[in-house]
Structure formats: structure tokens, C-alpha cells
Short mmCIF file of all heavy atoms in Angstrom, two decimals:
data_model
loop_
_atom_site.label_atom_id
_atom_site.label_comp_id
_atom_site.label_asym_id
_atom_site.label_seq_id
_atom_site.Cartn_x
_atom_site.Cartn_y
_atom_site.Cartn_z
N THR A 185 205.10 241.23 -116.41
CA THR A 185 203.74 241.39 -116.97
C THR A 185 202.68 240.67 -116.13
O THR A 185 201.54 240.49 -116.60
CB THR A 185 203.69 240.77 -118.38
OG1 THR A 185 204.21 239.45 -118.36
CG2 THR A 185 204.50 241.64 -119.36
N GLU A 186 202.92 240.46 -114.85
CA GLU A 186 201.87 239.84 -114.04
C GLU A 186 200.64 240.76 -113.99
O GLU A 186 199.53 240.22 -113.97
CB GLU A 186 202.46 239.61 -112.65
CG GLU A 186 201.50 238.78 -111.77
CD GLU A 186 201.14 237.43 -112.35
OE1 GLU A 186 201.97 236.82 -113.04
OE2 GLU A 186 199.99 236.98 -112.10
N PRO A 187 200.78 242.09 -113.92
CA PRO A 187 199.59 242.94 -113.92
C PRO A 187 198.71 242.73 -115.20
O PRO A 187 197.50 242.78 -115.13
CB PRO A 187 200.13 244.35 -113.85
CG PRO A 187 201.45 244.22 -113.17
CD PRO A 187 202.01 242.88 -113.63
N LEU A 188 199.35 242.51 -116.32
CA LEU A 188 198.61 242.25 -117.58
C LEU A 188 197.78 240.97 -117.47
O LEU A 188 196.62 240.90 -117.90
CB LEU A 188 199.55 242.23 -118.77
CG LEU A 188 198.83 241.90 -120.13
CD1 LEU A 188 197.84 243.00 -120.45
CD2 LEU A 188 199.89 241.84 -121.26
N ARG A 189 198.38 239.94 -116.90
CA ARG A 189 197.69 238.69 -116.72
C ARG A 189 196.46 238.93 -115.83
O ARG A 189 195.38 238.43 -116.20
CB ARG A 189 198.62 237.68 -116.03
CG ARG A 189 197.95 236.33 -115.71
CD ARG A 189 198.90 235.45 -114.95
NE ARG A 189 200.08 235.08 -115.77
CZ ARG A 189 200.12 234.03 -116.63
NH1 ARG A 189 199.02 233.29 -116.75
NH2 ARG A 189 201.15 233.82 -117.30
N ARG A 190 196.61 239.69 -114.81
CA ARG A 190 195.47 239.97 -113.91
C ARG A 190 194.43 240.82 -114.63
O ARG A 190 193.20 240.56 -114.50
CB ARG A 190 195.93 240.67 -112.65
CG ARG A 190 194.89 240.94 -111.61
CD ARG A 190 195.48 241.40 -110.31
NE ARG A 190 196.24 242.66 -110.47
CZ ARG A 190 197.57 242.70 -110.42
NH1 ARG A 190 198.31 241.67 -110.16
NH2 ARG A 190 198.21 243.87 -110.57
N THR A 191 194.86 241.85 -115.33
CA THR A 191 193.91 242.72 -116.07
C THR A 191 193.06 241.95 -117.11
O THR A 191 191.85 242.10 -117.17
CB THR A 191 194.66 243.84 -116.78
OG1 THR A 191 195.31 244.65 -115.78
CG2 THR A 191 193.77 244.74 -117.61
N LEU A 192 193.70 241.13 -117.90
CA LEU A 192 193.03 240.41 -118.97
C LEU A 192 192.03 239.43 -118.37
O LEU A 192 191.00 239.14 -118.93
CB LEU A 192 194.00 239.69 -119.88
CG LEU A 192 194.92 240.53 -120.72
CD1 LEU A 192 195.88 239.70 -121.54
CD2 LEU A 192 194.15 241.51 -121.60
N THR A 193 192.44 238.89 -117.19
CA THR A 193 191.55 237.88 -116.52
C THR A 193 190.38 238.52 -115.83
O THR A 193 189.22 238.06 -115.90
CB THR A 193 192.36 237.07 -115.53
OG1 THR A 193 193.46 236.45 -116.17
CG2 THR A 193 191.48 236.04 -114.84
N GLU A 194 190.60 239.65 -115.16
CA GLU A 194 189.62 240.23 -114.26
C GLU A 194 188.75 241.36 -114.86
O GLU A 194 187.70 241.71 -114.37
CB GLU A 194 190.24 240.71 -112.99
CG GLU A 194 190.97 239.61 -112.19
CD GLU A 194 191.66 240.09 -111.01
OE1 GLU A 194 191.65 241.34 -110.71
OE2 GLU A 194 192.30 239.28 -110.28
N GLU A 195 189.23 241.99 -115.93
CA GLU A 195 188.56 243.15 -116.44
C GLU A 195 187.69 242.92 -117.67
O GLU A 195 187.24 243.84 -118.32
CB GLU A 195 189.61 244.27 -116.78
CG GLU A 195 190.39 244.71 -115.59
CD GLU A 195 189.52 245.34 -114.50
OE1 GLU A 195 188.52 246.03 -114.86
OE2 GLU A 195 189.82 245.12 -113.30
N GLY A 196 187.47 241.69 -118.01
CA GLY A 196 186.48 241.34 -119.07
C GLY A 196 187.02 241.44 -120.52
O GLY A 196 186.23 241.56 -121.46
N TRP A 197 188.35 241.37 -120.66
CA TRP A 197 188.91 241.50 -122.02
C TRP A 197 188.67 240.21 -122.82
O TRP A 197 188.44 240.29 -124.04
CB TRP A 197 190.40 241.72 -121.89
CG TRP A 197 190.82 243.11 -121.54
CD1 TRP A 197 190.72 243.67 -120.29
CD2 TRP A 197 191.41 244.10 -122.38
NE1 TRP A 197 191.22 244.96 -120.31
CE2 TRP A 197 191.65 245.22 -121.63
CE3 TRP A 197 191.80 244.10 -123.70
CZ2 TRP A 197 192.23 246.43 -122.15
CZ3 TRP A 197 192.32 245.24 -124.28
CH2 TRP A 197 192.55 246.41 -123.47
N LEU A 198 188.67 239.06 -122.18
CA LEU A 198 188.73 237.80 -122.92
C LEU A 198 187.68 236.85 -122.44
O LEU A 198 187.33 236.74 -121.28
CB LEU A 198 190.12 237.14 -122.74
CG LEU A 198 191.35 237.96 -123.12
CD1 LEU A 198 192.64 237.31 -122.79
CD2 LEU A 198 191.31 238.36 -124.59
N ASP A 199 187.18 236.08 -123.38
CA ASP A 199 186.16 235.01 -123.15
C ASP A 199 186.65 233.74 -123.89
O ASP A 199 186.44 233.57 -125.08
CB ASP A 199 184.78 235.41 -123.67
CG ASP A 199 183.70 234.35 -123.40
OD1 ASP A 199 184.07 233.24 -123.08
OD2 ASP A 199 182.51 234.71 -123.58
N PHE A 200 187.40 232.91 -123.17
CA PHE A 200 188.01 231.71 -123.82
C PHE A 200 187.00 230.69 -124.25
O PHE A 200 187.28 229.93 -125.17
CB PHE A 200 189.05 231.12 -122.90
CG PHE A 200 190.24 232.04 -122.78
CD1 PHE A 200 190.52 232.76 -121.64
CD2 PHE A 200 191.18 232.10 -123.82
CE1 PHE A 200 191.61 233.58 -121.50
CE2 PHE A 200 192.28 232.97 -123.72
CZ PHE A 200 192.49 233.72 -122.57
N SER A 201 185.85 230.64 -123.61
CA SER A 201 184.79 229.70 -124.12
C SER A 201 184.34 230.11 -125.45
O SER A 201 184.03 229.27 -126.30
CB SER A 201 183.62 229.65 -123.13
OG SER A 201 182.97 230.94 -123.07
N ARG A 202 184.30 231.40 -125.71
CA ARG A 202 183.88 231.87 -127.05
C ARG A 202 185.05 231.73 -128.06
O ARG A 202 184.83 231.36 -129.24
CB ARG A 202 183.45 233.34 -126.95
CG ARG A 202 182.90 233.87 -128.25
CD ARG A 202 182.02 235.11 -128.01
NE ARG A 202 181.41 235.54 -129.26
CZ ARG A 202 180.36 236.38 -129.31
NH1 ARG A 202 179.82 236.79 -128.18
NH2 ARG A 202 179.90 236.79 -130.47
N ILE A 203 186.27 232.06 -127.63
CA ILE A 203 187.45 231.93 -128.50
C ILE A 203 187.56 230.49 -129.00
O ILE A 203 187.86 230.23 -130.19
CB ILE A 203 188.71 232.35 -127.77
CG1 ILE A 203 188.72 233.89 -127.58
CG2 ILE A 203 189.92 231.94 -128.56
CD1 ILE A 203 189.87 234.40 -126.77
N ASN A 204 187.38 229.54 -128.06
CA ASN A 204 187.61 228.13 -128.41
C ASN A 204 186.34 227.36 -128.73
O ASN A 204 186.35 226.10 -128.67
CB ASN A 204 188.38 227.46 -127.23
CG ASN A 204 189.75 228.04 -127.01
OD1 ASN A 204 190.57 228.06 -127.92
ND2 ASN A 204 190.01 228.56 -125.82
N ALA A 205 185.27 228.02 -129.07
CA ALA A 205 184.05 227.33 -129.44
C ALA A 205 184.27 226.53 -130.72
O ALA A 205 185.16 226.77 -131.49
CB ALA A 205 182.88 228.37 -129.66
N GLU A 206 183.42 225.53 -130.91
CA GLU A 206 183.49 224.71 -132.10
C GLU A 206 182.18 224.79 -132.89
O GLU A 206 181.19 224.23 -132.46
CB GLU A 206 183.76 223.23 -131.70
CG GLU A 206 185.15 222.99 -131.13
CD GLU A 206 186.24 223.04 -132.17
OE1 GLU A 206 185.95 223.11 -133.38
OE2 GLU A 206 187.43 223.02 -131.76
N PRO A 207 182.14 225.46 -134.01
CA PRO A 207 183.26 226.27 -134.60
C PRO A 207 183.25 227.66 -133.92
O PRO A 207 182.28 228.12 -133.38
CB PRO A 207 182.87 226.34 -136.03
CG PRO A 207 181.41 226.37 -136.05
CD PRO A 207 180.98 225.47 -134.91
N PRO A 208 184.41 228.35 -133.97
CA PRO A 208 184.48 229.66 -133.40
C PRO A 208 183.77 230.69 -134.25
O PRO A 208 183.69 230.54 -135.50
CB PRO A 208 185.98 229.95 -133.34
CG PRO A 208 186.56 229.17 -134.43
CD PRO A 208 185.72 227.90 -134.50
N ALA A 209 183.22 231.77 -133.62
CA ALA A 209 182.64 232.81 -134.43
C ALA A 209 183.65 233.55 -135.24
O ALA A 209 183.36 234.07 -136.32
CB ALA A 209 181.86 233.77 -133.50
N LYS A 210 184.87 233.65 -134.74
CA LYS A 210 185.98 234.25 -135.45
C LYS A 210 187.23 233.38 -135.36
O LYS A 210 187.52 232.84 -134.33
CB LYS A 210 186.34 235.63 -134.88
CG LYS A 210 185.11 236.61 -134.79
CD LYS A 210 185.46 237.97 -135.22
CE LYS A 210 184.23 238.89 -135.13
NZ LYS A 210 183.54 238.98 -136.38
N HIS A 211 187.88 233.26 -136.49
CA HIS A 211 189.07 232.45 -136.57
C HIS A 211 190.26 233.31 -136.10
O HIS A 211 190.52 234.37 -136.66
CB HIS A 211 189.35 231.94 -137.98
CG HIS A 211 188.14 231.20 -138.56
ND1 HIS A 211 187.96 229.90 -138.17
CD2 HIS A 211 187.25 231.57 -139.41
CE1 HIS A 211 186.82 229.46 -138.84
NE2 HIS A 211 186.39 230.44 -139.58
N LEU A 212 190.89 232.87 -134.99
CA LEU A 212 191.99 233.67 -134.35
C LEU A 212 193.29 232.97 -134.60
O LEU A 212 193.44 231.74 -134.51
CB LEU A 212 191.73 233.74 -132.85
CG LEU A 212 192.75 234.44 -131.99
CD1 LEU A 212 192.88 235.93 -132.37
CD2 LEU A 212 192.46 234.29 -130.51
N ARG A 213 194.33 233.76 -134.95
CA ARG A 213 195.69 233.31 -135.13
C ARG A 213 196.62 234.20 -134.31
O ARG A 213 196.51 235.40 -134.35
CB ARG A 213 196.12 233.31 -136.58
CG ARG A 213 195.24 232.49 -137.53
CD ARG A 213 195.43 231.01 -137.24
NE ARG A 213 194.66 230.16 -138.19
CZ ARG A 213 193.39 229.75 -138.00
NH1 ARG A 213 192.76 230.07 -136.85
NH2 ARG A 213 192.83 228.95 -138.87
N ILE A 214 197.51 233.56 -133.51
CA ILE A 214 198.44 234.28 -132.64
C ILE A 214 199.82 233.80 -132.95
O ILE A 214 200.05 232.61 -133.03
CB ILE A 214 198.12 234.07 -131.16
CG1 ILE A 214 196.75 234.75 -130.75
CG2 ILE A 214 199.20 234.56 -130.23
CD1 ILE A 214 196.25 234.37 -129.41
N THR A 215 200.76 234.69 -133.11
CA THR A 215 202.15 234.30 -133.41
C THR A 215 203.05 234.45 -132.19
O THR A 215 202.93 235.39 -131.41
CB THR A 215 202.75 235.11 -134.59
OG1 THR A 215 202.87 236.47 -134.20
CG2 THR A 215 201.84 235.03 -135.79
#
């Protein structure tokens, strides 16, 4: 899954500063 790591990082899928904001705009849970 190395291509997925690259895609999520480079193609604008994720914004970790927003995900981990205090408080976050949306509460996220991952299993």
C-alpha cells in the first residue's frame, strides 16, 4: 500500500492540522 500512502499525502485527501485541531470541527473515530 505504499502508493496509497503517497496518494493520501500528495493528492489533497487529508489535512491533519484540521483533523487534530482543538477542538476538532468533526469528531473522528478510526478502528
Side-chain angles (χ1 to χ4, degrees):
T185 53
E186 189 58 33
L188 178 60
R189 178 183 294 274
R190 185 171 58 251
T191 296
L192 296 180
T193 301
E194 299 177 0
E195 299 298 324
W197 284 72
L198 306 174
D199 182 345
F200 288 105
S201 64
R202 185 159 184 164
I203 289 174
N204 296 304
E206 292 287 351
K210 305 222 180 266
H211 303 284
L212 177 64
R213 301 292 184 267
I214 292 171
T215 65

